[in-house]
Amino acid sequence: MPERVTVDIAGGVADVRLNRPDKRNALDLGMFDGLLRVGDDLKQQPGLRAVVLSGEGPDFCAGLDFRIFEAMRDDHGWAGAIALPPGQGPAQAAGQRAAHIWTELAVPVIAAISGHALGGGLQIALGADIRFVAPDAKLSVREIKWGLVPDMTGTQMLPELVGRDVAKELTFSGRVLSGTEAFELGLATRVCTDPRTSALELARSIANQNPDAIAAAKHLLDLAGRVDLETGFAAEQVAIGALVGSVNQIEAVNAAFEARRPRFADRKAHNSR
């Protein structure tokens, strides 16, 4: 059986692809397991600078596999359909972990969305730091169609992007958005004719920056709105204190003055930022 999630790493950029194109990369047990395995592996990957997350074929991810819904209909239950061991940290359930694990990486994660990103597929994209979408992509908080609510971190992540009222409208209606409307609502970062190519270009650009500063910036920006200002401002000072005069920061200055490409030392791979 082909790997449900594939990874190709070059120049510090991990090209991660959901690999079930004949099923529009729908989420089944193997896909959940693959996402978690790859995410955990990338936390330990030395020299990693950025991640691009996309789907093989024309679609990003069309949501849960129909067999899971059939299991619900036949009263086999949800847990039996995607039973995986519980996780640690805020995300406990398998679906939550599959989306949240991308926020746990110290490097930027860019989701490249073409075709369908529905339900659980959209929630996985919400775990990325940046979302590039094709103008004709189809995105939807689709769970209401099946009599459900988003339960892969979506209820907590979506309001941060689009506001509480828009998040409610999208969740209550389940309506399908184009990539263009998703951008207009703040759900997407940029509209691109070829999201994967654009995402890889940005990832390679990020890979040429001080990896310590990038990791610190991701951490600080993720704190914004989630902690009080005193805590956020204090975290800034801790980060800048650690960066000024560090090996990679000095290399960034030297490279700028010498008009050359910097040669940064790799960060130590670990689970926390």
Side-chain angles (χ1 to χ4, degrees), residues 27 60-63 99 113 116-128 131 133 138-143 152 154 158 161 170 175 177 182 187:
L27 299 164
F60 180 76
C61 176
I113 302 170
H116 292 78
L118 309 177
L122 177 58
Q123 291 180 84
I124 288 171
L126 294 181
R131 282 158 293 281
V133 298
K138 298 183 184 300
L139 300 84
S140 175
V141 186
R142 201 65 169 163
E143 285 77 9
M152 291 171 55
L158 187 61
L161 296 173
L170 297 178
R175 69 184 181 89
L177 309 176
L187 185 55

Side-chain angles (χ1 to χ4, degrees), residues 161-227:
L161 296 173
V162 301
R164 191 180 301 271
D165 59 337
V166 174
K168 288 179 177 179
E169 186 263 324
L170 297 178
T171 302
F172 298 162
S173 69
R175 69 184 181 89
V176 177
L177 309 176
S178 69
T180 301
E181 186 179 2
F183 169 73
E184 292 169 349
L185 291 176
L187 185 55
T189 312
R190 189 190 302 176
V191 178
C192 310
T193 303
D194 186 342
R196 181 183 290 159
T197 296
S198 296
L200 286 169
E201 289 174 355
L202 176 60
R204 292 174 186 130
S205 175
I206 291 170
N208 289 322
Q209 308 299 331
N210 177 358
D212 301 323
I214 291 291
K218 175 169 176 172
H219 173 64
L220 292 170
L221 292 168
D222 282 345
L223 289 179
R226 301 174 182 176
V227 299

